[in-house]
Structures are given as C-alpha cells and as structure tokens.
Amino acid sequence: MNKTLILISVLSILACKEEAPKDYATFTGKITNKNSDSLLIRTRDYSKTIAVNADGTFSDTLKVKTDIYNVFDGTESTSVFLKNGYEIDMTIDTEKFDESVKFSGTGSEHSNFLAQKSLKEEQLLDFEALSTIEDMETLETKLNGIETELSDFYNSDKTIDTMITNNANKDLTPMLKSYKSFIGQSIALKNELPKGAPSPTFSDYENYDGSTTSLSDLAGKYVYIDVWATWCGPCKVEIPFLKELEKNYHGKNIQFVSMSIDDDRAHDKSWDKAREAWKAMIADKELSGIQIFAPKGWKSEFIEAYKINGIPRFILIDPAGNVVSPDAPRPSSDALRALLTELKV
C-alpha cells in the first residue's frame, strides 16, 4: 500500500512538472523563396537572429516578454505576437510576402490578426489612390470613412490580446493625421502648380560629364525629373525601377533627368565631397539618363519653386515646358506607366 502511494505521489510530481508553464516561446516555420539565410526578431529592446536552413525552414526557442515582434528577412518584414509558452509556426512565400504570411500553433490567432490588420491598412490606405484626390474636403471624408472601418476591424475580435487592439486604436488617429498632412501638401502643391501651368525652370546645372543642362535644352519632349540624393534610402530603392523605365522608353518622346540635391551640409560641410559622392554613386550604380547636380542643394531655385522638402520627389513636364504633375508617381508605381500611356509618350 505504501509503495502504491509513493508511486502515485511520484507520478503526480512528474505530471506537475510537465504541466509547468514554459519560460520560452517556440518559433518555427518555412520560408519559400527565401531572401537570406537568417531572420531577425526584434523590438526596441530585444534582438535575436535565427538561422534559416537551405530548404527555408527555421526553428528556435526565445525567452521573451509578451510583445509584438518585428520579423525581418533582410528585405521585408512582418509582425508576430510572442509570449512565453506560445508555439508559433510561420509560413511565408516572399514573392507574395504580406498576402502569404500564415501562422499556426498555440497563440497563433494573435499573429494572424496582425497579418490581417496589415493587409487591411494597406488596402484602405492606398497611397496612390489617395494621392489622386484633388481637394481637402474629399480627402477628409475619405479618411473619416477609413477611420471608422479600421476602428471596427480592430475591435471586431474580443479574443485578441488587448495589447494588440489597444496599440492599434491608439495609433489610428496619429497615422491618419500623417496621411492627411502629407497628401494635403500634395493637394496644395497641385493647386499652386496646376497641370498646364508653366513649369519653373533650371539653367546650366552641372552634368556628370562636366557639361551643363538647362530645362530649355529638353524642350519638345516630356521630361521626367527624379530629385534625389546619395544619402536617401527611399531614393536608392527607386533606382532599379528608374533604370528599367529608361530602358523601356528609350527612343520615345521622353527625357529622364536625375537631379541630385547633395550639398555641403550632408558631406562634412564640403561641396567638393558632395560632388565626389554624387559622381561615385553614378559610377557605382551605373546610372543612366541625364545626371545633373543642383548647385545650391535644397536652396536651388528649381527645388524651392517646386516646394521640395522631402525626397525622392518626381516631376513630369510636357514638351511645351508646362507642368503635367509637380508630384508625379514613382518609377516603381504602375500609376506612372498608366500616366505615360495616357499621354501617349
């Protein structure tokens, strides 16, 4: 009898040990068409790199604080909600990154909600679509509708951890306010420099080869101007798309101009270093088109006339020297090709 009681006690102790909560989260998964050999899991005060195998699989255990973590694959990122005790399995095909991300396992419903939230925001806050709005009243009406729809979505599932929903609700108004401010600036710019108005000009801007170019030299063709700088990350993202665009429209009725606003302030107070950095990047990236250097950087007359206070900025001018768009679509945007097709370039 005593032996039986002892055995029961031992088994009970073992069972309790097995049921004790884990002090770590398990994160596994598979990446199709992987971009790199690792994943970076991070918050503001946490960072860990997980190796990705040749077949795209990965597995690790993470001692974490309950939080929303960013998962970065070297090119794109998504969010995962981690808590000690969770067992999360993630699958992604990087060719359809946001649309393909799926989570399964213990606690996965919270991460799936985050993925759905990201897609919902991307769908409703389509920057290209919002940028076609031409007056503030229409913009405000549109953003108010988006606010209602997103708020309803954030609060639609009461099983989702309140850390996620509280953060979403808290960030909603500031997010929409930034959209209103940015697109509002574009609306104001289009009112000041409307389609068909004479474009501001530039004269004798320095070329990469040492010659000079004026806007008047390009009369008779459409002119697509990329205002950029060597230190600008988003500008560099657009370079491959711009090169492809130039290749596709070679010999057609359009000139492509890249105007650098590198200046002394960004290059150790030296204009010579600014020019050296500009020329070095043109050579390194094998940039094509007309490469010119704005003589006073941000303070160049053409830059100030187009009220450029952030880059990249793209400008489209017609063959007669009139404005088509003072804030044209980016090279990476399908909207630009649609516009050029509409103009029969």
Side-chain angles (χ1 to χ4, degrees):
M1 185 67 161
N2 288 337
K3 289 181 179 179
T4 301
L5 290 173
I6 291 170
L7 180 59
I8 292 171
S9 298
V10 170
L11 291 173
S12 298
I13 291 170
L14 289 173
C16 289
K17 285 184 178 179
E18 289 174 357
E19 293 172 3
K22 296 177 182 177
D23 63 348
Y24 60 88
T26 302
F27 190 38
T28 61
K30 182 170 184 178
I31 303 172
T32 304
N33 302 308
K34 68 189 182 88
N35 288 318
S36 69
D37 294 329
S38 64
L39 288 176
L40 180 61
I41 315 300
R42 59 192 178 184
T43 63
R44 287 184 178 179
D45 55 6
Y46 178 93
S47 178
K48 185 173 184 181
T49 300
I50 299 177
V52 177
N53 301 318
D55 64 356
T57 59
F58 64 90
S59 178
D60 208 340
T61 55
L62 313 168
K63 287 197 172 185
V64 296
K65 289 194 253 183
T66 302
D67 207 344
I68 300 168
Y69 289 75
N70 177 264
V71 183
F72 180 61
D73 78 336
T75 301
E76 296 188 73
S77 65
T78 189
S79 296
V80 60
F81 185 70
L82 293 177
K83 181 178 182 179
N84 287 333
Y86 279 7
E87 297 178 356
I88 304 293
D89 188 82
M90 179 182 78
T91 57
I92 288 181
D93 182 344
T94 62
E95 292 187 354
K96 297 179 180 179
F97 197 95
D98 292 333
E99 293 80 5
S100 70
V101 61
K102 295 287 186 297
F103 299 92
S104 60
T106 308
S108 60
E109 65 273 18
H110 308 291
S111 295
N112 280 321
F113 180 86
L114 285 169
Q116 293 161 14
K117 170 180 174 289
S118 178
L119 282 176
K120 189 80 170 176
E121 291 169 349
E122 184 179 338
Q123 172 198 354
L124 293 176
L125 293 168
D126 182 336
F127 183 78
E128 288 182 10
L130 291 173
S131 294
T132 63
I133 295 174
E134 297 183 352
D135 63 89
M136 289 302 296
E137 184 178 353
T138 303
L139 177 63
E140 288 181 7
T141 300
K142 182 68 174 177
L143 291 178
N144 287 339
I146 291 172
E147 181 174 23
T148 298
E149 190 166 349
L150 286 177
S151 179
D152 289 345
F153 174 76
Y154 295 160
N155 300 292
S156 62
D157 189 343
K158 301 304 180 185
T159 67
I160 299 304
D161 194 287
T162 54
M163 174 184 288
I164 296 172
T165 54
N166 287 345
N167 282 346
N169 284 306
K170 180 186 69 175
D171 294 341
L172 179 56
T173 297
M175 177 173 66
L176 294 179
K177 185 177 180 181
S178 68
Y179 271 81
K180 180 180 177 180
S181 174
F182 193 83
I183 296 170
Q185 290 176 19
S186 179
I187 290 171
L189 178 64
K190 289 174 182 176
N191 287 333
E192 290 188 45
L193 291 167
K195 183 176 180 179
S199 171
T201 63
F202 60 85
S203 298
D204 298 326
Y205 278 19
E206 176 186 349
N207 280 331
Y208 174 68
D209 64 6
S211 61
T212 61
T213 294
S214 302
L215 183 59
S216 58
D217 298 333
L218 309 176
K221 288 191 175 185
Y222 286 95
V223 181
Y224 183 72
I225 301 175
D226 166 20
V227 181
W228 71 295
T230 58
W231 46 262
C232 169
C235 300
K236 288 184 275 191
V237 168
E238 294 295 324
I239 287 175
F241 299 100
L242 181 58
K243 290 172 74 173
E244 182 68 17
L245 195 70
E246 291 169 353
K247 179 180 176 182
N248 293 342
Y249 282 85
H250 180 73
K252 295 192 176 181
N253 191 36
I254 187 168
Q255 297 270 22
F256 293 94
V257 177
S258 293
M259 182 183 294
S260 166
I261 56 168
D262 282 281
D263 61 12
D264 58 335
R265 291 178 300 173
H267 296 278
D268 299 327
K269 300 181 180 180
S270 168
W271 281 101
D272 287 339
K273 288 184 178 180
R275 282 184 173 82
E276 288 171 9
W278 168 59
K279 291 186 176 183
M281 183 164 287
I282 291 172
D284 179 58
K285 300 292 184 181
E286 298 180 341
L287 302 185
S288 52
I290 299 170
Q291 299 289 332
I292 58 177
F293 189 86
K296 297 179 182 178
W298 293 97
K299 295 186 179 300
S300 301
E301 288 184 12
F302 184 80
I303 300 302
E304 291 186 333
Y306 269 101
K307 303 186 183 303
I308 297 173
N309 52 27
I311 53 174
R313 167 78 78 79
F314 301 92
I315 298 163
L316 185 60
I317 300 168
D318 73 14
N322 298 320
V323 174
V324 175
S325 175
D327 189 12
R330 298 183 176 204
S332 58
S333 167
D334 291 337
L336 176 58
R337 292 180 183 270
L339 176 57
L340 295 179
T341 298
E342 178 187 335
L343 295 170
K344 299 180 180 179
V345 172

